[in-house]
């Protein structure tokens, strides 16, 4: 009977702002960061999880994760992992921390980090990758793990079980299909950051076409003339049969969004992503009605399952881009997948950042095999950054995520990475501080 | 030209959980707390502000407030205070911190604390209480200070100015009226906490009736039989002409809320407060349709102006209970008041906690004098706790908040209080820790 003996939490930050990687109309200078949780036991078993931020404030998430995880110390590992729904509800029941959201912002990001580590640990204990742990759970087990609180007006427990049961017979066949086609389909955002020059944009798009991609996403929203020039370049490079998506990262009010998107319609985008405040359910619904057939996508800042419930109820979304480190791990993500399936909205998870690709590959496989049973209009984001820091990095080729094979949720960072990029005392940041001092004192 | 020289932030916690003060169906053991910000200058001028939490995690808000406020240090006080809209937008433009919300949770609570301190400082600089600073601002100045981002589909800048202009002629007269009637009307929640015994409930209600109150709020939602018994006691004590409000603190799903509220209809509550998740705009709208004529109230966990915009658009609310320490200070609160006025929804601010009464009295006076011009269905919450810790505490008598007269936002804590209740190193918490150790080691 192993027990949890320790929680270690690290504030790990990468200096991505130096290269304008990840730059968009809202976020010009992100330093991709992870509030990284390691759950240790008195056996060889450990659990690794994180939430993703873009720099300052990552320490807040790390400290919140430490506070969230403290009640786990001293508890029996098997009891915790045999019923991850109960474990989740126990951690969520801290009403003093709940006040700080509720179920949103820093304390919810922290919940994601901690529960991600527990799901990782559960998969490691079973000796399988997380996606396999999930596809081998029964409908009842999955629904017991899901957080259905506040959702019963959109999805009842019985409906959820019935949907999963009806998808159960095809699980094995769909898994074989995925293997045969080389994994789960993805699209790339690597070329389209707003801070890249036209030349760099063109070169990267050309490379991506050569690499077999058929879907490409560009950042828009800072300047309409720039957007039109960049989208023209994109269509020149990818042609008109490939799919082009655009992403405004929340810069517009609702009326402005409608006007701007319609001004880009000639480039035939598949979707407009984050056209306005991520909290604005009714705004997204209004935009969707006004820009059709261009689809509306959002979700990377979708704070919790209650927001997604309303997005589905209001018919506000064509694509659901849930985030694996913002929603409170598999427990809450399961609920969103189940609702999306009921409402007929494809889930195309947000990824990129640091480690999000590593997580979402598991979720997408699970969705296809055990929930939606469909690849129609489904593709998962892929960004070619920072994978070298993971022990079990994604393998992407020919526009597909290969099925991960190692036990766990692929969330473990390499020890050298944590040592080097830990903020503010990792070697990289110490060197950078010394350099900055040098520049300042010259 | 004074400059901001220092930011001091204190994690101040009061042991309210010991007496079940503040207990409800969701929050059984809150320790009312303030993440308390003091902005110092090189003159005698200072600014005091806070956000409110219920215990654990207050340290996260304090640290977030410190990070939020750091850019102010070294800046010219007059420049900051002459255009608090620009100052707000400058602080809000930290996109790395924004990622952690956006505009919600810990980083938004921290924004409230810091901007509250700046508004306090602005009123002190002018030598007037905050409500007077606000009622003496022109329509254009108010709208320049307001955060209207993401709202233009519900309220444009021109509409906002027009509404304020049309209310301007009556300002002086309404102010005299308020003074003549003894201040702004309030209701009391002090009697109705869920953890109180029936006897204590009855005694406190009787006292409140004697004190001149005509509106009383009880916590409900843990057990239907208990609720019915307690509401019967309440009606026995207050009669049927007084108004009774009930508050479920988010415990129900939407269908359950409708069923439970209708089961309490015979006690004729004026409103049901927080029937479900505070994020659920469409859920509140559905509940409202199903429980009329009982009104629906929410807002103490209303995370930002975008949520309130949708509550108004969806006709989800009969009473808007905005929170002075959860919304990002006067800048965001102005927008909510303006929208509420346009949509015809009375604002009855949430108060209680620690210091919220001290803040909201200013807002309510401003609303009556300069925005809504109406007291119909408007009353501000009052809870009789922790006022002794403030330098300029509220004065409530005969069910009215007296108009505060001292310069500022009434947010300054007494020095002795900060010393004694600072967590974990204040004298109270050091003594408590020693006692707990004693008990543990016996």
């Amino acid at each position: 009977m192993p027990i949890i003996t320790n929680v270690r939490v690290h504030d790990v930050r990468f200096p991505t702002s130096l290269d304008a990687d990840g730059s968009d109309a809202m976020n010009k200078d992100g330093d991709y960061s992870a509030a990284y949780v390691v759950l240790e036991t008195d056996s060889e078993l450990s659990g690794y999880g994180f939430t993703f931020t873009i720099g300052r404030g990552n320490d807040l998430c790390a400290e919140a994760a430490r506070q969230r995880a403290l009640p786990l110390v001293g508890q029996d590992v098997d009891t915790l992992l045999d019923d991850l729904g109960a474990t989740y509800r126990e951690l969520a029941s801290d009403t003093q921390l709940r006040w700080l959201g509720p179920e949103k912002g820093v304390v919810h990001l922290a919940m994601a980090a901690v529960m991600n580590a527990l799901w990782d640990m559960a998969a490691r204990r079973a000796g399988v990758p997380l996606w396999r742990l999930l596809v081998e759970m029964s409908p009842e087990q999955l629904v017991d793990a899901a957080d259905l609180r506040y959702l019963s007006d959109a999805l009842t427990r019985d409906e959820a079980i019935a949907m999963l049961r009806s998808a159960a017979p095809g699980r094995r066949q769909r898994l074989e299909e995925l293997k045969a086609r080389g994994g789960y389909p993805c699209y790339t955002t690597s070329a389209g950051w707003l801070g890249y020059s036209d030349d760099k944009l063109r070169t990267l798009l050309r490379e991506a076409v050569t690499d077999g991609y058929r879907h490409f996403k560009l950042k828009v929203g800072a300047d309409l003339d720039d957007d039109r020039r960049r989208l023209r370049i994109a269509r020149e490079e990818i042609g008109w049969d490939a799919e082009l998506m655009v992403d405004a990262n929340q810069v517009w009010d609702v009326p402005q969004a409608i006007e701007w998107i319609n001004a880009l319609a000639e480039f035939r985008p598949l979707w407009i992503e984050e056209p306005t405040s991520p909290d604005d359910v009714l705004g997204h619904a209004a935009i969707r009605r006004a820009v059709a057939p261009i689809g509306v996508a959002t979700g990377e800042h979708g704070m919790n399952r209650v927001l997604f419930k309303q997005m589905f109820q209001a018919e506000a979304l064509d694509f659901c881009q849930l985030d694996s480190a913002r929603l409170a791990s598999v427990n809450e993500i399961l609920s969103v997948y189940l609702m999306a399936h009921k409402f007929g909205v494809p889930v195309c998870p947000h990824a990129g950042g640091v480690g999000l690709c590593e997580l979402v590959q598991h979720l997408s496989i699970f969705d296809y095999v055990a929930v939606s049973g469909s690849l129609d209009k489904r593709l998962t984001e892929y960004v070619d950054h920072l994978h070298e820091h993971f022990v079990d990095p994604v393998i992407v080729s020919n526009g597909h995520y290969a099925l991960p094979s190692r036990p766990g949720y692929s969330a473990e960072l390499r020890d050298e990475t944590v040592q080097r990029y830990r903020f503010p005392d990792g070697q990289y940041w110490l060197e950078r501080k010394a350099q900055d001092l040098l520049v300042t004192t010259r």
Side-chain angles (χ1 to χ4, degrees), chain A:
Chain A
M1 302 246 295
I3 63 164
I4 306 261
T5 51
N6 194 20
V7 180
R8 285 190 295 126
V9 183
H10 303 285
D11 173 359
V12 182
R13 307 190 192 186
F14 301 95
T16 45
S17 62
L18 298 179
D19 301 315
D21 296 345
S23 57
D24 60 53
M26 181 65 82
N27 309 293
K28 292 179 179 61
D29 61 346
D31 282 330
Y32 285 179
S33 303
Y36 180 58
V37 174
V38 180
L39 298 175
E40 298 174 339
T41 71
D42 53 4
S43 75
E44 294 205 342
L45 187 64
S46 295
Y48 305 87
F50 59 85
T51 189
F52 166 64
T53 82
I54 62 170
R56 279 184 296 283
N58 196 51
D59 52 331
L60 301 172
C61 292
E63 171 58 18
R66 193 188 65 77
Q67 294 187 26
R68 277 278 188 216
L70 273 183
L72 299 174
V73 175
Q75 290 206 47
D76 176 61
V77 167
D78 291 328
T79 307
L80 292 171
L81 301 185
D82 286 347
D83 189 350
L84 281 167
T87 301
Y88 170 94
R89 285 184 286 275
E90 174 68 25
L91 291 187
S93 73
D94 184 324
T95 56
Q96 295 191 2
L97 289 178
R98 186 182 185 278
W99 187 271
L100 307 178
E103 304 190 283
K104 59 182 71 73
V106 167
V107 293
H108 207 57
L109 293 163
M111 187 75 173
V114 174
M115 286 305 310
N116 279 344
L118 282 164
W119 280 98
D120 176 72
M121 188 184 271
R124 286 168 188 268
R125 185 183 66 152
V128 298
L130 180 81
W131 63 263
R132 187 175 285 283
L133 182 81
L134 294 176
V135 303
E136 290 179 354
M137 285 168 75
S138 70
E140 289 77 6
Q141 287 174 320
L142 288 167
V143 172
D144 285 344
D147 183 355
L148 297 177
R149 187 167 199 185
Y150 296 133
L151 305 184
S152 62
D153 53 329
L155 179 74
T156 66
R157 180 183 161 81
D158 289 347
E159 283 175 308
I161 290 175
M163 287 193 309
L164 288 165
R165 278 194 189 146
S166 81
R171 285 187 183 188
R172 177 181 298 269
Q173 185 196 331
R174 285 191 292 271
L175 184 53
E176 293 308 317
E177 262 175 53
L178 274 192
K179 286 180 184 166
R181 64 180 291 156
Y184 195 95
C186 60
Y187 72 90
T188 177
T189 309
S190 297
W193 302 114
L194 209 56
Y196 288 180
S197 70
D198 287 0
D199 282 349
K200 186 166 182 178
L201 171 67
R202 197 181 283 278
T203 306
L204 289 171
L205 284 170
R206 203 166 289 180
E207 286 173 12
V209 170
T210 308
D211 289 346
Y213 285 101
R214 305 292 299 143
H215 299 80
F216 307 84
K217 191 163 82 184
L218 262 66
K219 301 291 181 176
V220 297
D223 179 277
L224 184 57
D225 288 337
D226 288 347
D227 288 351
R228 297 174 60 84
R229 192 185 66 252
R230 287 160 47 83
L231 290 178
R232 199 167 295 123
I233 291 172
R235 279 299 181 196
E236 285 168 14
E237 293 300 325
I238 70 171
W240 291 87
D241 291 333
E243 296 284 7
L244 184 60
M245 293 89 85
V246 294
D247 184 354
N249 292 88
Q250 315 169 22
V251 289
W252 300 314
D253 272 34
V254 172
Q256 189 189 15
I258 292 169
E259 195 178 341
W260 198 304
I261 297 161
N262 283 328
L264 299 177
E266 66 181 279
F267 302 102
R268 283 198 247 141
L270 174 65
W271 76 49
I272 172 67
E273 181 171 331
E274 291 205 302
T276 189
S277 163
D279 308 329
D280 197 348
V281 174
L282 301 177
H284 281 82
I287 293 167
R288 181 168 180 260
R289 287 190 298 272
V291 306
I294 298 170
V296 167
T298 195
E300 75 180 72
H301 278 86
M303 59 188 174
N304 61 32
R305 67 200 178 283
V306 177
L307 182 86
F308 283 104
K309 177 184 78 166
Q310 295 176 85
M311 288 282 186
F312 298 137
Q313 290 173 318
E315 301 183 1
L317 286 190
D318 295 281
F319 301 91
C320 168
Q321 302 178 303
L322 62 81
D323 188 289
S324 56
R326 191 175 288 274
L327 292 176
S329 191
V330 175
N331 306 82
E332 192 170 33
I333 290 168
L334 279 171
S335 307
V336 176
Y337 269 115
L338 290 165
M339 288 190 290
H341 183 49
K342 178 175 169 184
F343 284 83
V345 176
V347 179
C348 302
H350 171 241
V354 53
L356 299 180
C357 298
E358 274 66 23
L359 301 186
V360 298
Q361 56 180 344
H362 293 271
L363 304 173
S364 291
I365 295 163
F366 164 72
D367 177 45
Y368 178 61
V369 173
V371 184
S372 72
S374 170
L375 292 177
D376 185 39
K377 293 188 182 167
R378 283 165 177 87
L379 61 170
T380 296
E381 186 164 18
Y382 173 65
V383 186
D384 185 20
H385 292 148
L386 304 175
H387 302 292
E388 65 276 19
H389 298 295
F390 287 85
V391 172
D392 181 23
V394 293
I395 300 169
V396 167
S397 63
N398 204 28
H400 286 74
Y401 277 100
L403 273 58
S405 57
R406 291 177 64 162
Y409 201 176
S410 308
E412 185 181 358
L413 283 167
R414 295 160 58 93
D415 287 341
E416 313 86 86
T417 289
V418 176
Q419 295 309 315
R420 180 159 175 72
Y421 290 101
R422 201 166 57 192
F423 189 87
D425 61 338
Q427 196 56 37
Y428 172 84
W429 293 107
L430 291 177
E431 288 168 13
R432 172 104 169 248
K433 191 174 175 187
Q435 277 177 354
D436 289 352
L437 277 178
L438 203 65
V439 172
T440 312
T441 52
R442 250 177 205 163

